[in-house]
């Protein structure tokens, strides 16, 4: 059995959700997560099937690190100053917009960021892409393929970059087919085809490396691409064939990534046959459906794994999802597409109600004058005019954020002396 | 991250060896819960098999949840099923392989039942086992060693007959429930039979499921029957099962109920459906202390005491006659002092009647040990399908608070907010709107706060029944409501328990505690008796929107949905306008 799971996308979602529910404080020293927060988020990451874990040790800490790095690079999260002077990780407007997209669009957005810049025409044509990601992301695949070379401080011209990229694309396209490919056969194929690192210009610059070293380096690059990008993006399915041979196969997402198709399949169309949403807000899986699991997990509380009662839809989980950018229509639509038997009326109604009740408010610092009593507050507000606003019985907010000297003098003339350092006379 | 170099799949790869049978309806989970898909063609078959050894936890529309517990397994063992049969039933209907831990614990738990037996030897009561090591273990058990008198040989103990109940309780706690084969005292004989026509001339016979419940309880008079619980939903005729048991046992009977009203309804049923003469039936309540061959008492009178530290003087009722059968109505409400007495009544036949085995105090173990195992249970959905109980549609009507009242709510003490929301002054108008949708149907309006209930009654021009309504007035109101002379009756919390309102087809709940599942079930139970025509009942609940009342209401919504009722949420403005508005 071979399996794929776009867990990099899932992990970024989990991280954005966690940050939306409660901005995550970052360590002052290195900007990392505090241990308690890290463990909490790691716990929220969906477990991976054994087939994927056998391909590489994707431990939760590494996964969270990758998810955080990519989410920031793709503009889904940003570090904002908080009121206490520290920094917190919060979703960006683009991050919320991304979370509000449906399953397939969300996945496609991320794949777009990794698609080779020099791929076939027709990709990157989504208007939403520019809205979600204000800064376009470079072709990471190219950068990665050059990493081992960069380590020696080398720089190649545009032509070599193109060759590296095309060779990588060619290698992975070779995995497209009806049957999975034996892993060793794939490595043999990569070894046998033209190695772009054996380009005369590269050899000239890297005169200190033997051909065998360059061959090994190219194999390592291709393998790293699989481990770090293709498998986490769900572009490559990995596992074992019936005979126990370790195997690989390009998935529909992989075909899309490498320009073999312009249509990315909706994973919910393929599965979800055995999913039931109950009127008591529990979601039961009568058969495994990883795609439906991923889709429903974004706005529900997980209570199980595999089959059985896997999720409970709660006011808290739905509100957290809304805070992260999910919409009521999108959520209802996901449930409808996932559950062939339909959605109980009360569940739909409550989800809409919970989401409609969500408000995003901004906390910011203000300057206020504590007047001590109502009468003084009225006097201060009257003197301040439009620059002041009465905000309670004895509190006046300075709407401009500072007390201008002229105003300060006017107050003093009326016998009111404001100590801007916090005291009052 | 680096690629792993394992070249062969791990042997534990779950996907590689799982044998899936998608046509089967069960998913057995390793936490001992079982999911059952209702849409499966094998659903009914699987459900019937499950009922024997698992407890129904909830039954929403698509997938029902059951749970295997020690008690559910021992209930199955007492009905003659062994562990292998239970595992086989799970395997036959399971979609995925049954988890090994479940398989093992079922076999282990099942093997524990009956390894010790209570038997009679002449006048003596013995606890016997075939396993000397187990006898040794039990002899040293902290709760048991004081109750077991002398050891006879390596495997038997002599037991004080008065300690029979306590020994059974201790054995359940020790995890080795006793099979009680010590038999019963026959009690004072009583010539009683069921009528074939009721007092009003209607034909009468036990329904099939009632007959089966009576058979299971009586077990043809053998020592393997004669004590246990019958679980039937509200409105399914539990009282009639009690009458059927009396007709089988044919001995003097003590019936204990939850209230005077319930006691009198039992007496009415006895007079209506059995051939007992009125002078054979006595009432033992706060109003009357009449002990007859069939006596109906209340839990309240039995647990009454003059002072906080005084004794329970009325518990002597249990010894006033040689009762051959004791019936515990609503056994899930059995109070602690009655448990204690029941522990000493193990030689008498005992029947518990209830709609749920779940006790708020968690003493299900004691019910099992002292009253007996579950003898019969019929799921309400099956009865609904057969038309023996009405279909109920639950509707939550959300209404905003008037602006002026909203401020009162906002500034109220957090502890008082629930009540402020519950007493939303817009509710009477919405009740009137609902009434216009149910003209001609008998309607019960239920509230928790007496002031609110009285105000509502005044607005609606309907009579009101509260805890302070005198017994005579209460009976007149109920009789008028039954006869259709009163179309709308406003009641306070008294409606929660055992008031029989056979013709109510609509209940409108204007306030409730919403925290108690029992209250919700009881209130809903008021309208579940079969209706003529569409056999449809309606249960409305009025909730102030965007308030703490709405938050609490989510609990009852979950409960009702778990029970499998259809649940709708409507906004008050979408309700039918008041009748007065329609009049030009």
């Amino acid at each position: 059995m071979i399996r794929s799971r776009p867990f990099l996308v899932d992990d970024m979602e989990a991280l954005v959700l966690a940050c939306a529910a409660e901005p995550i404080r970052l360590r002052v020293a290195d900007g990392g997560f505090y241990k308690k927060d890290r463990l909490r988020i790691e716990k929220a990451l969906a477990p991976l099937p054994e087939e994927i874990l056998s391909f590489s040790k994707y431990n939760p800490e590494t996964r969270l690190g990758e998810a955080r790095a990519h989410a920031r690079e793709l503009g889904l999260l940003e570090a904002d100053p908080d009121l206490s002077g520290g920094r917190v990780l919060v979703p960006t407007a683009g991050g919320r917009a991304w979370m509000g997209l449906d399953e397939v669009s969300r996945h496609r957005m991320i794949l777009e960021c990794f698609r080779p810049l020099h791929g076939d025409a027709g990709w990157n044509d989504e208007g939403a892409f520019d809205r979600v990601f204000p800064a376009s992301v470079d072709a990471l695949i190219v950068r990665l393929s050059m990493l081992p070379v960069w380590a020696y401080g080398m720089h190649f011209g545009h032509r070599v970059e193109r060759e590296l990229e095309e060779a990588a694309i060619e290698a992975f396209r070779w995995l497209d087919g009806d049957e999975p490919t034996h892993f060793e056969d794939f490595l043999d194929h990569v070894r046998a085809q033209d190695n772009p690192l054996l380009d005369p210009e590269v050899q000239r610059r890297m005169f200190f490396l033997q051909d065998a070293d360059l061959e090994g380096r190219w194999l390592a690059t291709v393998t790293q691409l699989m481990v770090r990008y293709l498998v986490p993006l769900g572009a490559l399915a990995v596992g074992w064939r019936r005979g126990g041979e370790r195997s690989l196969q390009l998935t529909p997402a992989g075909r899309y990534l490498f320009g073999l198709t312009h249509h990315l399949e909706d994973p919910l169309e393929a599965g979800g046959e055995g999913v039931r949403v109950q009127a008591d807000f529990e979601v039961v899986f009568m058969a495994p459906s990883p795609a439906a699991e991923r889709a429903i997990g974004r706005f529900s509380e997980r209570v199980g794994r595999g089959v059985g009662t896997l999720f409970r839809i709660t006011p808290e989980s739905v509100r957290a999802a809304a805070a992260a950018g999910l919409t009521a229509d999108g959520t209802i639509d996901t449930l409808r597409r996932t559950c062939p038997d339909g959605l109980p009326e009360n569940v739909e109604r409550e989800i809409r109600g919970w989401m409609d009740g969500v408000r995003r408010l901004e906390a910011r610092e203000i300057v206020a004058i504590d007047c001590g009593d109502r009468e003084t507050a009225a006097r201060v507000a009257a003197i301040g005019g439009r620059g002041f606003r009465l905000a309670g019985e004895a509190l006046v907010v300075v709407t401009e954020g500072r007390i201008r000297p002229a105003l300060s003098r006017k107050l003093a003339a009326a016998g009111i002396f404001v100590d801007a350092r916090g005291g009052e006379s | 991250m680096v690629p792993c170099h394992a070249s062969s799949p791990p042997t534990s790869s779950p996907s590689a060896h799982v044998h899936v049978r998608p046509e089967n309806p069960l998913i057995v989970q390793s936490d001992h819960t079982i999911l059952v898909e209702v849409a499966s063609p094998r659903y009914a078959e699987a459900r019937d098999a499950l009922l024997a050894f698992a407890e129904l936890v909830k039954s929403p529309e698509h997938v029902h949840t059951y749970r295997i517990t020690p008690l559910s397994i021992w209930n199955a063992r007492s009905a003659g099923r062994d562990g292998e049969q239970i595992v086989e039933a799970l395997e036959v209907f399971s979609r995925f392989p049954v988890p090994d831990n479940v398989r093992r614990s079922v076999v282990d738990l099942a093997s524990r039942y009956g390894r010790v037996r209570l038997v009679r030897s002449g006048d003596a009561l013995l606890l016997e086992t075939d396993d000397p090591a187990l006898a040794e273990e039990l002899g040293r058990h902290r709760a048991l060693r004081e109750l077991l008198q002398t050891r006879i040989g390596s495997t038997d103990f002599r037991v004080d007959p008065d300690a029979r109940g306590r020994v059974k309780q201790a054995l359940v706690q020790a995890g080795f429930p006793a099979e009680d084969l010590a038999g019963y005292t026959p009690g004072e004989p009583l010539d009683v039979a069921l009528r074939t026509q009721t007092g009003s001339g209607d034909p009468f016979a036990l329904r099939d499921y009632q007959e089966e419940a009576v058979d299971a309880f009586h077990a043809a008079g053998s020592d393997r029957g004669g004590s246990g619980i019958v679980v039937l939903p509200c409105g399914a005729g539990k009282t009639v099962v009690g009458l059927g048991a009396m007709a089988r046992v044919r001995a003097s009977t003590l019936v204990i109920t939850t209230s005077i009203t319930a006691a009198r309804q039992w007496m009415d049923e006895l007079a209506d459906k059995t051939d007992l003469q009125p002078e054979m039936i006595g009432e033992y309540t706060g109003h009357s202390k009449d002990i007859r061959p069939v006596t109906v008492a209340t839990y309240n009178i039995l647990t009454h005491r003059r002072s906080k530290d005084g004794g329970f003087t009325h518990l002597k009722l249990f010894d006033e006659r040689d009762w051959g059968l004791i019936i515990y109505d609503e056994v899930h409400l059995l109070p602690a002092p009655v448990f204690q007495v029941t522990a000493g009544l193990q030689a008498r036949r005992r029947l518990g009647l209830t709609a749920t085995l779940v006790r708020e105090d968690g003493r299900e173990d004691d019910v099992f040990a002292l009253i007996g195992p579950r003898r019969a249970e019929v799921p309400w959905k099956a009865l609904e399908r057969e038309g023996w109980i009405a279909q109920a549609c639950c509707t939550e009507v959300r209404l905003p608070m008037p602006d002026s009242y909203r401020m009162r709510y906002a500034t109220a003490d957090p502890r008082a907010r629930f009540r402020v929301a519950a007493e939303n002054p817009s509710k009477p108008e919405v009740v009137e709107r609902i009434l216009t949708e149910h003209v001609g149907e008998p309607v019960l309006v239920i509230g928790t706060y007496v002031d609110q209930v009285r105000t509502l009654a005044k607005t609606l021009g309907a009579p009101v029944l509260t805890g302070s309504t005198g017994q005579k007035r209460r009976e007149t109101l109920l009789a008028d409501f039954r006869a259709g002379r009163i179309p709308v009756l406003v009641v306070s919390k008294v409606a929660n328990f055992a008031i029989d309102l056979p013709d109510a087809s609509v209940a409108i709940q204007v306030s409730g505690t919403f925290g108690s599942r029992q209250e919700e079930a009881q209130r809903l139970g008021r309208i579940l008796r079969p209706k003529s025509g569409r056999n449809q009942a309606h249960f409305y609940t009025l909730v102030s929107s965007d308030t703490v009342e709405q938050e609490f209401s989510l609990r009852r919504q979950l409960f009702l949905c778990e029970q499998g009722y259809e649940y709708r949420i409507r906004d008050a403005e979408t309700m039918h306008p008041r009748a007065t508005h329609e009049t030009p």
Side-chain angles (χ1 to χ4, degrees), chain B residues 270-559:
Chain B
L270 283 162
D272 190 50
K273 296 186 173 70
T274 69
D275 59 0
L276 287 170
Q277 296 305 304
E279 62 273 17
M280 303 290 280
I281 305 167
E283 174 185 325
Y284 195 96
T285 64
H287 289 228
S288 171
K289 307 285 182 295
D290 193 11
I291 301 171
R292 302 287 174 91
V294 175
T295 299
V296 186
T298 62
Y299 292 121
N300 268 348
I301 193 69
L302 293 176
T303 54
H304 173 78
R305 45 186 171 178
R306 287 185 194 282
S307 66
K308 201 178 160 192
D309 303 320
F312 299 102
T313 51
H314 295 286
L315 285 180
K316 67 179 189 306
L317 176 63
F318 285 101
D319 301 319
E320 291 283 349
R321 285 189 96 103
D322 183 13
W323 305 113
L325 174 64
I326 300 172
I327 298 178
Y328 301 86
D329 194 16
E330 309 286 5
V331 71
H332 64 285
L333 298 174
L334 201 71
V338 178
F339 265 129
Q340 285 165 23
V341 178
T342 302
L345 295 170
Q346 297 300 301
R348 304 193 190 280
R349 286 187 164 85
R350 305 168 305 280
L351 170 63
L353 299 171
T354 184
T356 171
L357 282 172
V358 177
R359 285 181 62 97
E360 304 263 343
D361 62 5
R363 293 187 67 178
E364 289 88 353
D365 286 7
D366 288 336
V367 174
F368 175 85
L370 299 179
I371 310 294
R374 181 189 59 185
R375 297 292 180 188
E377 178 169 7
V378 186
W380 70 265
K381 270 287 177 193
L383 296 180
E384 186 188 276
R385 208 168 23 251
E386 299 288 322
W388 293 122
I389 55 175
Q391 289 182 29
C393 175
C394 304
T395 306
E396 179 178 320
V397 182
R398 291 191 182 160
L399 63 157
M401 287 193 283
D403 287 345
S404 55
Y405 197 75
R406 181 93 211 166
M407 187 52 77
R408 187 177 154 195
Y409 172 80
T411 55
D413 182 276
R415 283 167 298 181
R417 277 190 181 168
F418 182 81
R419 180 159 186 175
V420 174
E423 293 183 320
N424 180 350
S426 299
K427 285 187 176 180
E429 190 197 326
V430 177
V431 172
E432 287 181 298
R433 288 185 184 202
I434 295 170
L435 292 177
T436 61
E437 293 187 5
H438 297 282
V439 176
E441 294 179 70
V443 181
L444 204 58
V445 182
I446 310 170
T448 292
Y449 306 108
V450 174
D451 289 348
Q452 181 189 31
V453 162
R454 291 213 170 106
T455 308
L456 194 60
K458 210 169 168 183
T459 310
L460 301 176
V464 61
L465 194 157
T466 69
S468 61
T469 307
Q471 188 63 29
K472 200 169 172 191
R473 166 84 177 145
R474 185 179 289 203
E475 280 167 14
T476 307
L477 284 175
L478 293 178
D480 285 350
F481 186 71
R482 266 190 219 109
R485 290 186 290 272
I486 298 173
V488 179
L489 182 62
V490 183
V491 295
S492 69
K493 282 203 286 194
V494 294
N496 286 2
F497 297 106
I499 288 184
D500 193 13
L501 296 158
D503 294 327
S505 61
V506 179
I508 306 172
Q509 190 173 214
V510 292
S511 53
T513 54
F514 297 166
S516 164
R517 293 176 158 226
Q518 229 170 56
E519 178 186 271
E520 208 59 30
Q522 293 291 349
R523 287 183 172 185
L524 179 60
R526 303 301 103 215
I527 57 170
L528 286 181
R529 287 176 183 276
K531 311 284 178 292
S532 53
R534 286 173 54 230
N535 199 24
Q536 177 74 55
H538 295 273
F539 186 40
Y540 292 93
T541 303
L542 273 50
V543 174
S544 296
S545 50
D546 301 326
T547 67
V548 66
E549 192 183 30
Q550 188 179 319
E551 287 169 29
F552 272 84
S553 179
L554 183 60
R555 294 186 200 169
R556 52 180 298 286
Q557 183 184 155
L558 288 178
F559 170 67

Side-chain angles (χ1 to χ4, degrees), chain B residues 183-214:
Chain B
Y184 305 96
T185 175
E188 194 180 301
L190 176 70
D191 194 17
V192 54
L194 296 177
R195 291 175 189 264
T196 52
Q197 264 192 341
T198 63
S200 54
D202 295 328
F204 171 70
L206 293 182
R207 297 168 187 162
D208 288 349
Y209 66 88
Q210 292 167 332
E211 187 84 49
E212 285 165 17
V214 172

